[in-house]
Amino acid sequence: MTVHSSIVHVTVHVPEGRQSVAAVEDRFRAASPTIPLSRGVLQRMYGLAERTVAPDHEQPSDLAVRAARRLLADTDTDPADVDLLLYAGILADMEEPATAHVVADKLGLGCPVLDLKNACNGVLNALEVADAFIRGGRYRRVLVTTAEVSTRESRWEVDDPAEVLTALPSLSTGDMGSALLVAASDRPGILGTRFFANSWGWRAATLPNPYAQHRTLGRLRIDSARLVDSFEGLPAKVRGALEEFGVESADLDLVCVHQPSVPFTRVVCAWVGVDPGRILATFPAHGNVATNTIPLQLATALENGRLRRGDLVGMFGFASGASAGVVLCRW
């Protein structure tokens, strides 16, 4: 019998903390008094209303574990039945060991684990890996986890006015944890995955490793215009992947795209040929939650009845690096 993989369920942990866009701007002005910042600029530029903020004492593993515990309970899955755990977050508890070990320990898992990282496309890549392992017969149940505490990378102190535009995107990030369970199935679930890269564009968005910088804290720097330019040629490859799958955007019951801002979401919709009105907007109320963005859309769609078993789902990611990917699945 041919073995397929299917996404069984998805859950997110949304921290209770909230920071309004006005509060973000006020803190920036207080920390950078020499830098003029007009009121409402973050909402005008990015579409941000407020962002989610995790408690200071919680690490990425804590957020991932909260989401995973809910998923295991929702699906009545015994931790002993998980064959592999993947952690796909950008941020980690520590450099060594893999954060996947910390997540697994807190969940009481005894399975193999590994970290998998590719900027905001980490979860989509993890789905590709899980699908390959399951179809290859290596594992039957793969738990994909991720989490971000990106608000801690906000650049509050800026001395050089020339650095303002590369610092502002860091003020629109949000914290969150997510989990997805992928399992062997007798019916096709994950129908296809394709990924592409323009690795020459890696300089557009960077967060230096503090250990590589002799323990000097790295600063999140995003050149938005340069980042958009780094995706040159990738949208056409993504559309070509859909054609290869024999699917048109109109065939999709649910479309999920990475949402680093409202304007960029519109750009991505144009790139993949989707009406922005079909997208569940998550950025304004949460901020850019990075690897959690697509799981958040899936979980939201499940909760409000927009996603039902059997629906055709297209997940599109465009991440710094630069990379682009599409995951097509039958829910």
Side-chain angles (χ1 to χ4, degrees), residues 196 233-243 272 316-318 324-326:
F196 314 95
L234 298 185
K237 292 181 178 179
V238 168
R239 293 193 300 271
L242 274 186
E243 293 177 6
V272 301
F316 301 89
F318 289 85
V326 54

Side-chain angles (χ1 to χ4, degrees), residues 4-194:
H4 304 281
S5 75
S6 178
I7 301 176
V8 177
H9 193 43
V10 57
T11 55
V12 295
H13 169 66
V14 182
E16 294 182 359
R18 293 287 186 276
Q19 189 174 40
S20 70
V21 67
V24 173
E25 292 176 351
D26 287 344
R27 181 172 174 179
F28 179 84
R29 291 191 194 91
S32 304
T34 63
I35 303 297
L37 187 73
S38 60
R39 188 162 297 279
V41 66
L42 291 178
Q43 187 155 25
R44 291 194 300 273
M45 290 182 65
Y46 305 116
L48 182 68
E50 62 178 4
R51 62 181 188 166
T52 54
V53 182
D56 290 341
H57 67 277
E58 291 197 344
Q59 296 299 309
S61 64
D62 293 311
L63 305 186
V65 165
R66 287 176 181 268
R69 282 179 177 153
R70 179 180 169 188
L71 183 146
L72 295 176
D74 286 353
T75 59
D76 196 26
T77 299
D78 189 323
D81 292 333
V82 176
D83 301 315
L84 175 70
L85 181 138
L86 303 176
Y87 177 78
I90 298 170
L91 300 180
D93 282 28
M94 56 193 73
E95 286 296 305
E96 178 76 14
T99 296
H101 285 293
V102 186
V103 174
D105 178 49
K106 291 177 179 179
L107 290 174
L109 304 184
C111 62
V113 306
L114 64 93
D115 280 5
L116 190 157
K117 180 180 292 188
N118 186 21
C120 294
N121 274 341
V123 165
L124 292 188
N125 284 119
L127 291 177
E128 180 183 42
V129 170
D131 173 60
F133 273 137
I134 290 171
R135 287 190 298 104
R138 187 67 185 87
Y139 304 109
R140 291 190 60 82
R141 292 181 184 84
V142 179
L143 180 58
V144 175
T145 63
T146 190
E148 308 294 352
V149 288
S150 307
T151 60
R152 298 173 196 175
E153 305 300 331
S154 298
R155 289 176 59 186
W156 301 112
E157 298 179 13
V158 177
D159 299 321
D160 185 356
E163 283 291 306
V164 172
L165 288 180
T166 64
L168 288 184
S170 74
L171 305 183
S172 66
T173 58
D175 303 336
M176 192 170 292
S178 303
L180 303 95
L181 181 62
V182 186
S185 172
D186 57 1
R187 70 172 183 86
I190 295 179
L191 304 176
T193 62
R194 294 291 185 276

